[in-house]
Amino acid sequence: MSMRKMDTASDEAWIGYCLKVVQHRLRQRLEAELAGTGVSASQNAVLLAIGDNPRISNASLARAAFVTPQSMQGMLVTLERDGFIVRTPHPEHGRIIMTELTEKGSAAAQAGAIAAEAAERQMLEDLTGDEVNLLRTLLQRCAHALQEE
């Protein structure tokens, strides 16, 4: 039996479990920050991704929001219905649907970026700048190590 602990305060805690706890608490904090915007954390990720690239594919949006392509389709329908995005056929490629932010969507994306910054700032408040940079580098390396071929 492993000597590792499910207690994040333990020096022997599973790193993966600690990451999951941090991710869960960060999402809770972000959801609280987003409460007045009318969008969820996943919807916020979609709006930010569309703002960065209006020609982004649905598959790329799904990856950005950590949802399945099927779930993304439902999310886009909801965002369009609620006036955050407009979807139109590409003028040259009939199968491609372009997605753009409306004024309401741009405002929500801006508020969402501020909310994400606030949640991240709270998460990192006890770290030095060097520790933040080291954490970012180590997490990027861990993600790369687990990336599927």
Side-chain angles (χ1 to χ4, degrees), residues 19-96:
L19 283 170
K20 185 61 181 171
V21 169
V22 170
Q23 183 272 331
H24 178 72
R25 290 180 184 168
L26 178 61
R27 182 161 184 136
Q28 286 179 316
R29 180 78 244 135
L30 180 56
E31 291 287 0
E33 292 285 338
L34 289 168
T37 67
V39 296
S40 67
S42 294
Q43 290 171 325
N44 182 57
V46 171
L47 295 177
L48 291 171
I50 293 168
D52 286 344
N53 179 9
R55 294 180 183 237
I56 191 168
S57 70
N58 283 10
S60 293
L61 284 173
R63 285 189 292 277
F66 300 101
V67 299
T68 65
Q70 295 82 2
S71 295
M72 179 51 57
Q73 185 58 35
M75 193 180 302
L76 290 172
V77 167
T78 299
L79 288 169
E80 186 173 30
R81 182 199 67 214
D82 293 347
F84 291 102
I85 62 171
V86 174
R87 300 170 74 206
T88 56
H90 190 282
E92 297 168 15
H93 304 286
R95 293 186 59 196
I96 297 175

